[in-house]
């Protein structure tokens, strides 16, 4: 038989639980979103509310105001990027989670950027857009117009698109413009491969040892749109020029795949660079063959101005 003190303790515990439940219920029923939901569903009974209290509490505690949200990274919702929504599920009130506007935009951006592949390209370049170029800067703006025209030609199956050869001094935005091209093409569901040429050539040399040269070369050769960034900045060897670069350009010429370039050199200066290798000396004929493939399938764009990398 329980003592009086034990019985009183049990009563006290039940009273405490009842008070907690009443507090939860009061919190739920006073929430403005619940009031709106209840008005839209007048057939909801007290019994349904009682059975649904745990889910309703999850809803009111997880509901946040998304109006002032900047992006998914700053989301305050319990599940980032998802807004809770109440619905009737049989005899209870349940919750479903829907993607918010920021989450939808973020997912779409990730989907687009999955169409942009890169080797050794800084991440900020992969999010570049044409809108980020100042229209008041005449030279850069003219370059963006040519870039936009290239995007349109690539997306038109009736046009054999010529690539772009964007050359100019350091830090003027050549690579950034290529990133904008890649993003514009991604919106048209066209994949682009951006390659920082000096690092890629170095990797190809080290790949001789593990016999992965052909495998890596195939990925670059077959890209629907290829960007060779900063060509001419590498230390040239006859093997890189003839077996790597020559192989890439020959395949893409045969398959009519557009290739774009950025360089600090114009056509003539790049030809001079390609002609010289430390071991073989000057090989003008081989350099000229490479340059003929570049010149014939690209439109030169001279991009100059202030160095944007200087603070």
């Amino acid at each position: 038989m329980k003592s009086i003190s034990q019985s009183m303790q049990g009563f006290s515990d039940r009273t405490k639980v009842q008070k907690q439940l009443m507090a939860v219920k009061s919190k739920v029923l006073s929430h403005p979103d619940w009031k709106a939901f209840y008005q839209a569903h007048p057939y909801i009974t007290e019994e349904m509310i009682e059975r649904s209290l745990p889910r309703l509490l999850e809803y009111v505690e997880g509901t946040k105001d998304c109006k002032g949200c900047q992006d998914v990274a700053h989301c305050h919702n319990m599940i980032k990027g998802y807004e809770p929504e109440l619905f009737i599920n049989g005899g209870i009130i349940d919750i479903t989670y829907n993607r918010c506007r920021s989450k939808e935009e973020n997912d779409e951006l990730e989907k687009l950027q999955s169409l942009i592949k890169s080797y050794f390209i800084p991440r900020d370049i992969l999010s570049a857009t044409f809108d980020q170029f100042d229209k008041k800067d005449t030279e850069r703006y003219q370059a963006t117009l040519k870039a936009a025209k290239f995007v349109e030609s690539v997306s038109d199956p009736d046009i054999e698109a010529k690539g772009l050869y964007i050359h100019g001094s350091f830090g003027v935005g050549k690579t950034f413009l290529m990133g904008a091209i890649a993003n514009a093409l991604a919106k048209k569901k066209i994949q682009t491969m951006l390659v920082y040429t000096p690092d890629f050539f170095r990797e190809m040399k080290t790949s001789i040892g593990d016999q992965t040269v052909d495998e890596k070369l195939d990925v670059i050769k077959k890209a629907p749109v290829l960007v060779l960034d900063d060509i001419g900045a590498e230390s040239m060897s006859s093997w890189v020029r003839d077996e790597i670069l020559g192989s890439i350009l020959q395949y893409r010429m045969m398959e009519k795949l557009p290739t774009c370039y950025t360089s600090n050199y114009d056509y003539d200066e790049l030809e001079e660079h390609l002609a010289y290798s430390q071991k073989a000396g000057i090989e003008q004929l081989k350099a000229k063959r490479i340059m003929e493939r570049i010149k014939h399938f690209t439109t030169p764009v001279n991009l100059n101005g202030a160095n944007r990398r200087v603070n």
Side-chain angles (χ1 to χ4, degrees):
M1 184 175 179
K2 291 183 180 180
S3 65
I4 293 175
S5 61
Q6 288 174 325
S7 298
M8 290 297 292
Q9 179 65 42
F11 178 77
S12 176
D13 289 344
R14 286 194 297 274
T15 302
K16 185 177 180 180
V17 170
Q18 287 295 328
K19 285 182 177 179
Q20 289 174 340
L21 287 174
M22 289 298 294
V24 168
K25 190 172 181 180
S26 176
K27 184 175 183 178
V28 169
L29 298 184
S30 63
H31 195 279
D33 286 351
W34 160 255
K35 290 179 179 178
F37 182 79
Y38 183 71
Q39 288 177 358
H41 302 81
Y43 53 85
I44 292 175
T45 65
E46 194 70 20
E47 184 182 358
M48 288 174 67
I49 295 173
E50 295 285 351
R51 288 203 303 263
S52 307
L53 272 180
R55 298 295 275 165
L56 291 173
L57 181 62
E58 178 184 332
Y59 173 78
V60 299
E61 290 187 340
T63 301
K64 304 293 181 184
D65 183 7
C66 293
K67 292 178 182 177
C69 181
Q70 298 176 353
D71 51 45
V72 175
H74 295 87
C75 178
H76 297 294
N77 288 358
M78 186 168 62
I79 303 176
K80 279 187 178 293
Y82 289 85
E83 297 177 281
E85 180 184 355
L86 294 175
F87 72 102
I88 304 298
N89 185 12
I92 64 169
I93 305 157
D94 211 338
I95 308 176
T96 186
Y97 286 88
N98 305 311
R99 289 191 304 167
C100 67
R101 174 186 52 78
S102 293
K103 175 65 173 171
E104 289 176 350
E105 291 174 355
N106 186 74
D107 288 351
E108 181 63 21
L109 180 61
E110 288 182 354
K111 184 179 178 181
L112 291 177
Q113 291 191 341
S114 71
L115 291 169
I116 304 173
K117 308 297 181 182
S118 65
Y119 271 83
F120 316 109
I121 298 290
R123 290 189 63 84
D124 61 321
I125 297 299
L126 305 183
S127 58
T129 64
F130 291 139
D131 293 338
Q132 292 170 281
F133 287 82
D134 187 359
K135 292 183 179 181
K136 295 179 182 178
D137 189 330
T138 306
E139 187 165 355
R140 284 191 175 91
Y141 184 59
Q142 288 300 316
T144 62
L145 292 179
K146 292 177 182 177
K149 187 175 180 180
F150 167 74
V151 170
E152 291 302 318
S153 67
V154 172
S155 56
D156 189 336
D158 297 326
I159 298 176
E160 187 176 330
K162 289 183 71 173
L164 297 176
Y165 184 88
I166 301 179
H167 62 98
S169 53
F170 293 97
V172 295
K174 301 185 297 294
T175 304
F176 198 81
L177 182 55
M178 288 301 181
I181 287 173
N183 270 303
L185 288 170
K187 290 178 180 178
K188 296 176 179 293
K189 306 296 186 282
I190 299 170
Q191 188 182 77
T192 304
M193 173 73 75
L194 293 99
V195 179
Y196 181 63
T197 311
D199 282 350
F200 172 66
F201 286 161
R202 276 193 288 272
E203 180 173 312
M204 295 305 288
K205 289 177 183 177
T206 61
S207 299
I208 296 173
D210 59 17
Q211 299 180 336
T212 59
V213 171
D214 290 341
E215 180 183 343
K216 292 174 180 176
L217 197 56
D218 273 354
V219 173
I220 305 300
K221 282 162 52 174
K222 296 176 180 179
V225 177
L226 176 64
V227 175
L228 294 177
D229 182 47
D230 214 4
I231 190 168
E234 69 287 332
S235 296
M236 186 51 61
S237 71
S238 56
W239 180 76
V240 165
R241 181 193 61 215
D242 303 332
E243 301 302 322
I244 303 301
L245 183 57
S247 176
I248 291 171
L249 300 188
Q250 177 65 20
Y251 181 89
R252 299 186 66 77
M253 180 182 70
M254 297 297 292
E255 296 298 320
K256 299 181 179 179
L257 296 172
T259 308
C260 294
Y261 308 80
T262 74
S263 182
N264 294 324
Y265 296 146
D266 62 21
Y267 283 152
D268 293 337
E269 290 168 332
L270 182 61
E271 183 173 333
E272 185 178 341
H273 170 77
L274 293 173
Y276 178 78
S277 62
Q278 291 179 338
K279 292 184 178 180
I282 298 175
E283 298 177 294
Q284 291 180 332
L285 183 59
K286 291 184 177 181
K288 194 172 289 293
R289 285 174 182 167
I290 295 290
M291 285 308 304
E292 284 304 312
R293 293 170 188 169
I294 294 175
K295 288 179 181 179
H296 187 71
F297 294 100
T298 59
T299 299
V301 179
N302 187 16
L303 184 60
N304 279 305
N307 188 341
R308 297 294 179 94
R309 298 176 190 169
V310 177
N311 293 327

